[in-house]
């Protein structure tokens, strides 16, 4: 295979096999696989990369996009920004990227950094029944123990995300009578420790119900802190009060100049009513446009085509984004339809080795791969657009194939991927780990 022409379809299909990736965060910039041993960086924010593969356009066959054209470049990074991009200078004494494909770094847009058991003693999921309220009861029992070393575990989880190419996360954090504000304070401490290489947005989240437990006083206090979004949880099935819960959530956001990001798992009529109610309220309060998101939104996967088209148009007009964890099983989320109507769709790992789910990999690129598999009838062009799920927006080529990233002045949050189909790339992977985690092995 000509390495200067990378088929996006092949690229995404092989991500799940664990092709090599290297996250270019300053602390791991000198990864052994891509380091010139004679080169020493003056500082972590300024360096030069050679033999960097960049996408330059689409390759066509009779007006049909068949693959991605690429070329090698040398790139200067200064003070954490892209300072210069020029044709490759392979003789230059600098860091050798060895032909890896450079992409914008990834962003995990739905995760719970505050209550993982990652880096702690292994525990399988132990659901004792009772649905969401049964899980609330379980959390009330186990959270005091989880909090004892939650800062340490959050830091380790951040390192896992970084190892999978993510330099940013939107984390939901429990605010309820059991945790009070401790989950938030512990996570803030972890983020402070990682601030030089990792950024985050925080969503205060009444995991135990805004009114089902007396979470509102703590939510009001947390809303005045350095957080970004007001969260919510299934207003009908948990609180039994759609309008009351949504009105309170929306007012908290308005009063404190925050965004909104609510969990909505309900798949029936109540789920659709919640989305419709939120759309109406955002249209009444246009300052919330572009700042409001619905996570999961499983009801969208249950709508018929007419209902889906109608709600997608309304979501796009209200600038309400959808954050999907790309579930598998009987429910297939209509991500291409939403994206085609201009709805901002992002993804995240959600749970990574916790009491809700132990199967998270830490890779949002794997989520993009999963979406590509679920919609395996889409074209090469549409596959290339699915990369937005991993980057939460920026991708190298626009819809016409014009190079739009990277540009001089862009923040140097980048990731290098081995996008080849070579036997060497595949042979580096531990078959057992690849089978279990279906993610990327990072060097």
């Amino acid at each position: 295979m000509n390495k200067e022409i990378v088929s996006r379809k092949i690229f995404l299909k092989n991500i799940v096999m664990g092709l090599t990736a290297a996250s270019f965060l300053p602390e791991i910039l000198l990864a052994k696989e891509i380091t010139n041993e004679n080169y020493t960086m003056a500082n972590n924010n300024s360096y030069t990369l050679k033999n960097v593969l960049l996408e330059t356009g689409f390759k066509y066959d009779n007006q049909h996009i068949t693959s991605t054209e690429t070329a090698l470049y040398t790139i200067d990074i200064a003070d954490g920004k892209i300072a210069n991009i020029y044709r490759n200078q392979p003789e230059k004494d600098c860091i050798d990227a060895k032909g890896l494909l450079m992409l914008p770094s990834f962003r995990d847009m739905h995760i719970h950094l505050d209550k993982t058991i990652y880096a702690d003693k292994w525990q399988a999921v132990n659901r004792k029944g009772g649905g969401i309220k049964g899980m609330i009861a379980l959390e009330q029992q186990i959270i005091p123990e989880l909090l004892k070393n939650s800062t340490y575990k959050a830091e380790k989880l951040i390192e896992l995300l970084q190892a999978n190419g993510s330099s940013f996360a939107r984390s939901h954090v429990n605010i309820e009578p059991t945790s009070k504000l401790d989950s938030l304070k512990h996570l803030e401490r972890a983020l402070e420790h990682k601030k030089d290489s990792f950024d985050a947005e925080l969503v205060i989240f009444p995991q135990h119900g805004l009114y089902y437990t007396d979470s509102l006083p703590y939510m009001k206090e947390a809303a005045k802190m350095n957080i970004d979004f007001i969260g919510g949880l299934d207003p009908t099935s948990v609180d039994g009060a759609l309008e009351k819960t949504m009105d309170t959530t929306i007012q908290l956001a308005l009063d404190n100049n925050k965004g909104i990001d609510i969990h909505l798992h309900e798949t029936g009529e109540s789920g659709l009513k919640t989305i419709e109610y939120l759309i109406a309220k955002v249209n009444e309060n246009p300052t919330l446009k572009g700042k409001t998101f619905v996570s999961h939104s499983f009801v969208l996967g249950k709508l018929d085509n007419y209902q889906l088209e109608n709600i997608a148009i309304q979501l796009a007009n209200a600038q309400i984004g959808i954050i999907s964890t790309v579930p598998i099983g009987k429910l297939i989320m209509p991500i291409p339809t939403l994206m085609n109507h201009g709805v901002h769709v992002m993804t995240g790992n959600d749970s990574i080795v916790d009491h809700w789910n132990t199967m998270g990999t830490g890779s949002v690129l794997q989520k993009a791969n999963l979406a590509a598999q679920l919609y395996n009838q889409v074209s090469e062009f549409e596959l290339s657009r699915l990369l937005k799920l991993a980057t939460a927006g920026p991708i190298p080529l626009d819809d016409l194939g014009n190079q739009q990233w990277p540009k001089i002045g862009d923040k140097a949050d980048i990731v290098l991927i081995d996008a080849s189909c070579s036997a060497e790339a595949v042979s580096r992977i531990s078959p057992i780990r690849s089978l279990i985690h279906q993610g990327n092995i990072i060097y």
Side-chain angles (χ1 to χ4, degrees):
M1 178 178 177
N2 182 353
K3 197 169 183 178
E4 292 299 299
I5 299 176
V6 179
S7 165
R8 176 72 61 176
K9 188 171 184 178
I10 293 173
F11 170 53
L12 284 174
K13 281 181 71 65
N14 280 280
I15 293 303
V16 76
M17 297 175 65
L19 296 183
T20 308
S23 173
F24 260 57
L25 299 161
E27 65 204 47
I28 57 174
L29 183 61
L30 296 178
K32 183 177 181 181
E33 294 289 319
I34 53 173
T35 301
N36 178 341
E37 293 180 354
N38 297 319
Y39 180 81
T40 302
M41 291 190 299
N43 61 68
N44 284 337
N45 290 319
S46 298
Y47 49 90
T48 297
L49 300 169
K50 65 181 179 181
N51 297 320
V52 176
L53 196 66
L54 294 181
E55 295 182 330
T56 59
F58 293 131
K59 185 175 178 63
Y60 294 85
D61 181 10
N62 294 325
Q63 306 302 313
H64 178 68
I65 298 171
T66 60
S67 58
T68 303
E69 292 186 338
T70 60
L72 291 171
Y73 288 85
T74 295
I75 298 177
D76 294 330
I77 309 294
D79 297 324
K81 294 185 177 181
I82 295 174
N84 204 2
I85 305 170
Y86 42 95
R87 284 291 176 178
N88 197 38
Q89 296 185 4
E91 72 288 347
K92 193 174 182 69
D93 184 22
C94 60
I95 299 172
D96 188 354
K98 298 186 177 180
L100 296 178
L101 177 68
M102 190 173 92
L103 297 173
S105 65
F106 308 139
R107 298 163 70 92
D108 190 308
M109 299 305 293
H110 186 106
I111 195 168
H112 297 261
L113 293 173
D114 64 315
K115 54 181 183 181
T116 183
I117 57 173
Y118 181 75
D120 206 336
K121 183 178 179 181
W122 164 258
Q123 298 176 45
V125 171
N126 182 24
R127 298 184 181 180
K128 298 180 179 180
I132 182 67
K133 291 183 178 179
M135 290 300 289
I136 290 172
L138 174 63
E139 280 207 358
Q140 289 170 331
Q141 295 175 23
I142 67 175
I143 277 178
E145 187 67 25
L146 291 177
L147 283 171
K148 290 180 180 178
N149 62 347
S150 63
T151 296
Y152 167 78
K153 289 179 294 186
E155 290 178 21
K156 291 301 178 183
L157 190 49
I158 289 169
E159 290 169 11
L160 175 67
L161 297 183
Q162 290 178 308
N164 280 283
S166 291
S167 62
F168 183 95
R170 179 182 294 175
S171 179
H172 295 249
V173 54
N174 269 40
I175 302 292
E176 23 68 17
T178 304
S179 299
K180 298 183 173 63
L181 301 183
D182 288 345
S183 284
L184 175 59
K185 292 175 181 178
H186 292 192
L187 179 55
E188 286 180 327
R189 195 175 306 141
L191 291 170
E192 175 65 21
H193 295 164
K194 296 293 184 181
K195 66 180 181 181
D196 291 337
S197 60
F198 193 83
D199 292 325
E201 295 173 337
L202 296 180
V203 186
I204 54 172
F205 174 46
Q207 173 74 82
H208 301 171
L210 193 61
Y211 291 108
Y212 180 67
T213 62
D214 191 18
S215 296
L216 183 56
Y218 302 103
M219 287 287 290
K220 287 181 176 179
E221 185 176 355
K224 300 183 184 302
M225 298 172 66
N226 187 28
I227 59 95
D228 304 279
F229 294 88
I230 307 298
L233 174 69
D234 296 328
T236 301
S237 61
V238 176
D239 286 332
L242 191 160
E243 293 187 7
K244 179 181 179 182
T245 299
M246 293 301 296
D247 286 348
T248 301
T249 301
I250 292 163
Q251 198 60 50
L252 273 175
L254 292 171
D255 290 345
N256 294 280
N257 192 27
K258 308 295 184 183
I260 295 172
D261 189 342
I262 66 168
H263 286 62
L264 184 63
H265 307 94
E266 299 167 1
T267 58
E269 183 181 0
S270 64
L272 182 57
K273 284 185 175 180
T274 299
I275 291 179
E276 290 173 335
Y277 192 82
L278 182 61
I279 290 171
K281 288 297 182 180
V282 169
N283 286 332
E284 290 175 12
N285 300 279
T287 58
L288 293 174
K289 288 190 173 184
K291 297 169 57 179
T292 300
F293 301 85
V294 185
S295 290
H296 302 305
S297 306
F298 293 147
V299 66
L300 298 178
K302 295 285 189 176
L303 302 180
D304 61 37
N305 289 338
Y306 175 79
Q307 287 178 303
L308 177 60
E309 295 279 340
N310 182 49
I311 206 72
I313 292 170
Q314 292 184 57
L315 286 167
N317 289 338
Q319 298 176 39
I320 296 175
I322 298 296
I323 304 180
S324 175
T325 51
V326 194
I328 56 176
K330 295 181 180 180
L331 184 68
I332 297 180
M333 295 298 295
I335 291 174
T337 300
L338 294 170
M339 294 176 73
N340 289 341
H341 281 286
V343 179
H344 191 190
V345 182
M346 300 183 287
T347 191
N349 278 279
D350 195 7
S351 296
I352 298 178
V353 194
D354 63 19
H355 52 284
W356 290 88
N357 192 328
T358 59
M359 300 304 291
T361 66
S363 171
V364 288
L365 193 55
Q366 187 264 346
K367 292 289 185 178
N369 169 268
L370 179 57
Q373 294 183 64
L374 291 173
Y375 311 109
N376 61 2
Q377 299 301 312
V378 295
S379 68
E380 175 80 12
F381 168 77
E382 290 169 314
L383 280 168
S384 74
R385 306 300 91 184
L386 283 176
L387 184 61
K388 294 178 182 178
L389 292 178
T391 67
I395 53 177
L397 304 178
D398 67 17
D399 289 353
L400 298 178
N402 300 312
Q403 190 179 48
Q404 62 182 1
W405 182 95
K407 292 183 179 179
I408 293 174
D410 285 347
K411 190 175 180 181
D413 286 338
I414 60 176
V415 62
L416 294 182
I417 303 287
D418 185 341
S420 75
C421 300
S422 67
E424 176 187 1
V426 176
S427 68
R428 293 176 182 173
I429 309 309
S430 162
I432 294 176
R433 177 165 179 166
S434 178
L435 177 65
I436 294 175
H437 292 283
Q438 299 184 10
N440 305 301
I441 306 302
I442 306 304
Y443 294 94

